[in-house]
Each structure stands twice: as C-alpha cells, then as structure tokens.
Amino acid sequence: MAERPTTSWRHGIAHEAEELAAGTLDPDCACMAGLFPEELLAAIDAVLDTFEGDFPGLAEASDTQILAMVERVVLALNTVNEAHNGGAFETDEREQLCDYIDTSLTEHGVDVVALTARHGLERYQLADKWRKW
C-alpha cells in the first residue's frame, strides 16, 4: 500500500529528534520539525483521508469520475499550501504527493498511463491542471 508522505515526514522529524537528543546532530542543521509542523501534517492527512475515502469502486469509475477525484485532492492540497503562506511544498514534497496520488490510484485498479494518455497527458502530468504547489 502506498505510504503517505506525511508518514515519511513524521519519521524524519522523529529521527532528527533522536539525533538531537543524542547530540549527534547540530541543532542548526535540524529542519524537519520546522518544515513540517504538526498543524500542516494534520491538514494534509485530513485531505488524504478524504481522497482515500473515494477508493471503493475506483476500478469501475469513469475517467470523468477519476479526474474529478484527482481534482478534489489537488485543490484541497492547494488550500493547505495557501494556508501555509504558499510555501508548504517544496520540490521533493510536490513529487512525493503526486507519486502518492498516482500510486494510490494504480493500487486501486486505475491504469494511470492509459488514463492520462486518453486525455493527451503524460503520466506525471495528472495533477498539473489544478496544482498550484
């Protein structure tokens, strides 16, 4: 099952905290907790909860239904990003979120390559129409 990016980010925060406590990381080099405050992670998880709630029956969904689902999750992530001064997602985070969406759809029976091709897109352009992050 696709791992949420927030899970990875929380692991990174915990790892940094352990290194700080052990004295093996210079506090000036610790950045994870600042990049990913719990308020941000909770907001992203709420968006992904809603996205995952649409998974049942996804394999039988039409292109229009699938694209509407992608649009909803991307627009909701836009809102989260905007609420954090438009800077919540850097390049790595954007890629991880897009990969999570793609992998989740694939795991639930959507042929993302075929879906995007039918709409004149490359696979990794699935979220681009709506994405502002």
Side-chain angles (χ1 to χ4, degrees):
M1 179 165 192
E3 181 178 87
R4 286 182 176 192
T6 52
T7 301
S8 172
W9 301 334
R10 282 190 175 95
H11 286 290
I13 292 166
H15 181 71
E16 262 191 7
E18 290 170 5
E19 289 181 322
L20 286 168
T24 58
L25 179 65
D26 181 336
D28 291 336
C29 295
C31 65
M32 293 294 289
L35 289 173
F36 304 108
E38 185 54 37
E39 177 185 314
L40 170 64
L41 297 177
I44 296 167
D45 278 336
V47 168
L48 298 181
D49 286 344
T50 301
F51 175 64
E52 292 170 2
D54 289 337
F55 288 169
L58 191 57
E60 296 81 35
S62 69
D63 284 6
T64 301
Q65 291 168 312
I66 296 166
L67 292 173
M69 182 179 165
V70 172
E71 179 181 11
R72 283 190 302 274
V73 72
V74 171
L75 293 176
L77 289 168
N78 286 346
T79 300
V80 169
N81 188 53
E82 290 167 13
H84 289 82
N85 299 318
F89 309 133
E90 299 292 331
T91 301
D92 287 344
E93 292 79 30
R94 290 190 290 268
E95 290 176 1
Q96 290 171 19
L97 287 164
C98 287
D99 184 57
Y100 176 76
I101 293 167
D102 182 297
T103 301
S104 295
L105 293 174
T106 300
E107 287 177 350
H108 288 86
V110 175
D111 183 341
V112 175
V113 172
L115 170 71
T116 53
R118 286 191 296 272
H119 295 274
L121 302 169
E122 296 293 322
R123 177 181 195 148
Y124 298 105
Q125 294 177 313
L126 180 61
D128 289 354
K129 180 177 181 179
W130 307 284
R131 186 170 63 84
K132 293 183 181 177
W133 30 271

